[in-house]
Amino acid sequence: VRIDAQGGEHSDAVERIVTVHRDGRRIETTQHGRVRAEAPWRVNAERPGVATLTLYPNALADLKGSYEGLIREPHGCFEQTSSTLYPMILALELMRREGTGEGSFEDQALGFINKGYCKLLGYEVPGSPGGFSLFGKPPANVWLTAYGLMEFHDLERVYPVDEGLIPRVVAFLRKSQNEDGSWGDFNLTAWCALALREAGEAPGKELAWLTEKVEEIEDPRGLALAALVLDDKRVRGRLKALQGPKGNWMARRATALGARGKSASVEATALAVRALSDMRGLEWLAAQRDGSGRFGTTQSTVQALKTLLAADPGEPASGRVIARARGRTLATAEIGEEPVRIDLGLLESGE
């Protein structure tokens, strides 16, 4: 398809190749699992279609396959901008760690990161230095500001951040803190404490307040936040006891931004895995990534990526994998240090 435009002395043209498909609606589904010699991984095709199998040697290699889906142009309010910016920050950090952060991917990511960072700075609330809100209008939001502190701190590892920004955000959070050490309810206080801890700030009265209140908490997300900031074996033991049979933690209440169901459980599991270094939970978490590289909502995606980045992926698996459907062999592949992609062709429903 070619489009020509002319106006006075100026003209331009755009030409693109367009693929025309037959009538119908394109449907994409992604299923994850772990292949073990003693327990084959079984997948049922939900409908007829073309299938592709990708084999990764470990969970971190699986994450590396999602770079392209995470690099997007940021837009919208503070939270919307962060929904694209923060995953890009973490993806770029992983790319550099693995030695794959050069060339067009990094150039494009850095361009979008610069744009997103400048947008976030515009949402600092006038009259409340270091405090942020969704659109930069008063009052500043404590939860969002603590989230921004985490984001700006992680951003520092891949991109220059204004020297006075993080100290200003820290000062706002401390000024917003109640006399008893809290910022309101338990989860918000644990969230702010975690943000300050990640930024390298010395703990204050919030730890004593959390220690006093933690016995009342039964929600896995709240316990996971507490386990990340309190050096308390009892808290970790209570959190471990809430782990489900599949390795995940089921959220019992909505998150700060109203997420429920699977996204809330992904966020709770990511925090719990980070607190306990739990490999079974890590495997469940890695399997929740969708085809675009995300894990549901902004918060579940960010927390999942942070947990996977902090985890030790272990030695890459090796061996031979055989893909079969209804008794017929579709493909055979050797697993090494790099991912292996296999086109399985057309599968019928139920295969």
Side-chain angles (χ1 to χ4, degrees), residues 274-286:
R274 207 148 80 238
L276 301 177
S277 300
D278 187 272
M279 286 304 298
R280 197 158 62 94
L282 185 68
E283 291 177 7
W284 182 89
L285 187 65

Side-chain angles (χ1 to χ4, degrees), residues 45 88 116 142 163 221 232:
M88 272 195 297
V142 172
E163 185 176 341
R221 184 177 181 274
D232 191 324

Side-chain angles (χ1 to χ4, degrees), residues 151-288:
E151 188 170 9
F152 295 137
H153 173 68
D154 288 338
L155 177 59
E156 274 193 312
R157 294 197 289 266
V158 298
Y159 189 84
V161 171
D162 292 1
E163 185 176 341
L165 176 60
I166 289 179
R168 199 162 65 243
V169 176
V170 170
F172 171 85
L173 289 176
R174 287 302 185 194
K175 185 178 180 180
S176 303
Q177 192 172 13
N178 296 324
E179 183 63 29
D180 62 3
S182 73
W183 280 271
D185 64 24
F186 185 91
N187 278 16
L188 178 58
T189 300
W191 178 254
C192 291
L194 179 60
L196 291 166
R197 179 189 178 105
E198 289 188 357
E201 292 299 312
K205 292 190 294 184
E206 64 272 8
L207 295 191
W209 188 91
L210 290 168
T211 300
E212 179 185 347
K213 302 292 184 181
V214 72
E215 294 299 328
E216 306 169 8
I217 304 303
E218 298 181 355
D219 175 59
R221 184 177 181 274
L223 279 176
L225 287 169
L228 283 166
V229 297
L230 299 177
D231 185 17
D232 191 324
K233 291 182 179 179
R234 293 176 301 169
V235 174
R236 292 194 292 271
R238 290 175 57 202
L239 178 61
K240 180 65 177 178
L242 295 176
Q243 188 174 21
K246 295 182 179 179
N248 63 317
W249 280 262
M250 297 293 293
R252 298 181 181 180
R253 54 180 287 187
T255 67
L257 293 180
R260 300 177 183 273
K262 182 179 177 181
S263 289
S265 294
V266 168
E267 185 178 343
T269 299
L271 293 167
V273 168
R274 207 148 80 238
L276 301 177
S277 300
D278 187 272
M279 286 304 298
R280 197 158 62 94
L282 185 68
E283 291 177 7
W284 182 89
L285 187 65
Q288 307 313 304

